[in-house]
Amino acid sequence: MITLEHDEIRKILPHRYPMLMIDRVVEIEGFRRAVGVKNVTVNEPYFLGHYPDQAIMPGVMIVEAMAQLGGLLLLRKLELTGRLPVLLSIDRVKFRRAVVPGDQLRLEAETLRLSDGRGRVQCKALVQGVLAAEARLNFAMSEDDRARGARGAP
Amino acid sequence: MTLAVRDRSRLKHPAPLVALDQIVELTSAGIRTVKAVSGNEAFFAGHFPDFPIFPGVFIVEAVHQAAQAYVAEQWPGEVHARLTEISSVRFLSPVRPGEVLEIAARCDVRLDDGELLVRADCACRERPVAVVALRYAVRPAG
């Protein structure tokens, strides 16, 4: 089973602090499925404002984490092609429970479809086996120069 | 009507995740807001080091904050809206530092069903950058 530590993830994804939302990848099966971990700590800047009196992980940051894992998964298929996954659309995001500091997010990404120009990934975020959020993400396999400088963008 | 958002206590999102600088227009049908995107924002350090792009999920956040402002202005202190679904988001064009993100959100309130449906066209000047559909559960505050 292939796993990736944080320094290896940083070689694959262009995201950096404070926007890198994957700490470890604990499972990868080809380009079909990946499982990642994001430890949620109160020491992250978005908790300053979200909210001052009650720390809740912003839903869009959970979506960002799912998108980064999905992009990382598709990059395994693309690494020899020179193309890069760009997030094209987000569908059917459901927020099931709040995620708070101290939680460890388990992120699961499964490739639903991977054709020449498009990739579709179903993602889940779980805390201790309980579903916190789910989303369906579509990526375009871009050869655009703008995307070349920013893998996984926007 | 332009409302500079000076009284931030009425908004739920203090820095660093503010995605609403001004309310440009507010009617019962919806809200228009702007977010000025600056290279001097913390997240650009990591998104991306050599190539700043306003994170797509923050466009979603901007629509969410516009919807929250709509609810707060329409029913001050009376209604609580909880985001239950990001129904769909289409990203059309990247947003860069120096651009002004304009959110035009149509808000369809169905109080009987306890639902608020928000559909927003997001643009920089005339260039569409995203289309976002959100769903909220609404209930009396308290």
Side-chain angles (χ1 to χ4, degrees):
Chain A
M1 188 68 73
I2 297 169
T3 64
L4 299 172
E5 297 299 328
H6 197 256
D7 56 342
E8 297 168 295
I9 293 169
R10 284 188 291 143
K11 289 176 188 158
I12 299 170
L13 292 177
H15 306 73
R16 293 293 180 270
Y17 174 86
M19 288 300 293
L20 181 52
M21 300 300 290
I22 308 281
D23 289 324
R24 301 181 71 203
V25 175
V26 295
E27 293 175 33
I28 300 181
E29 295 170 25
F31 47 85
R32 290 287 162 206
R33 185 169 178 277
V35 179
V37 168
K38 163 72 181 121
N39 281 356
V40 180
T41 169
V42 75
N43 206 23
E44 295 183 79
Y46 51 77
F47 283 124
L48 284 173
H50 199 275
Y51 298 94
D53 51 350
Q54 186 186 17
I56 298 175
M57 185 175 182
V60 296
M61 298 309 288
I62 301 173
V63 176
E64 178 68 22
M66 294 193 286
Q68 289 179 16
L69 184 67
L72 187 148
L73 179 60
L74 296 181
L75 269 169
R76 296 179 61 75
K77 177 72 170 176
L78 297 173
E79 57 191 356
L80 299 177
T81 68
R83 295 196 295 179
L84 301 162
V86 173
L87 186 59
L88 201 66
S89 64
I90 304 171
D91 291 291
R92 301 184 213 175
V93 185
K94 294 263 186 8
F95 298 108
R96 305 290 187 188
R97 53 151 284 180
V99 176
V100 298
D103 284 347
Q104 184 174 62
L105 268 189
R106 177 184 164 94
L107 301 151
E108 300 180 353
E110 187 177 348
T111 304
L112 297 181
R113 205 172 66 196
L114 188 55
S115 64
D116 202 34
R118 298 286 168 91
R120 175 177 291 176
V121 179
Q122 180 71 34
C123 294
K124 290 180 184 172
L126 304 101
V127 177
Q128 292 191 325
V130 178
L131 189 64
E134 55 192 318
R136 182 166 291 191
L137 308 172
N138 284 290
F139 294 84
M141 308 308 174
S142 177
E143 293 184 74
D144 190 325
D145 283 344
R146 290 176 304 184
R148 225 174 269 282
R151 294 189 281 192
Chain B
M1 175 183 61
T2 299
L3 306 172
V5 184
R6 293 191 184 88
D7 182 5
R8 294 227 158 254
S9 65
R10 291 172 69 182
L11 297 176
K12 287 187 148 192
H13 298 74
L17 248 188
V18 181
L20 191 164
D21 287 322
Q22 289 180 7
I23 297 171
V24 178
E25 186 180 76
L26 178 72
T27 69
S28 60
I31 185 168
R32 292 199 299 127
T33 65
V34 299
K35 153 79 181 125
V37 177
S38 169
N40 196 29
E41 298 188 72
F43 49 78
F44 280 124
H47 198 278
F48 300 90
D50 301 325
F51 193 81
I53 295 180
F54 189 64
V57 295
F58 288 179
I59 300 176
V60 181
E61 182 66 25
V63 176
H64 172 55
Q65 292 182 19
Q68 294 283 9
Y70 170 85
V71 170
E73 298 290 337
Q74 287 286 96
W75 303 280
E78 294 171 19
V79 171
H80 176 81
R82 184 174 60 85
L83 179 66
T84 54
E85 184 183 81
I86 300 173
S87 308
S88 78
V89 182
R90 298 284 174 272
F91 295 113
L92 306 173
S93 177
V95 177
R96 306 287 177 75
E99 297 196 290
V100 176
L101 177 64
E102 301 162 1
I103 307 292
R106 297 183 295 287
C107 301
D108 181 7
V109 186
R110 300 172 181 182
L111 281 179
D112 291 345
D113 299 331
E115 260 195 350
L116 166 65
L117 304 179
V118 176
R119 189 171 173 82
D121 293 312
C122 311
C124 292
R125 296 202 172 194
E126 301 295 299
R127 187 178 97 255
V129 297
V131 180
V132 177
L134 305 179
R135 182 186 296 266
Y136 293 83
V138 293
R139 58 173 173 76

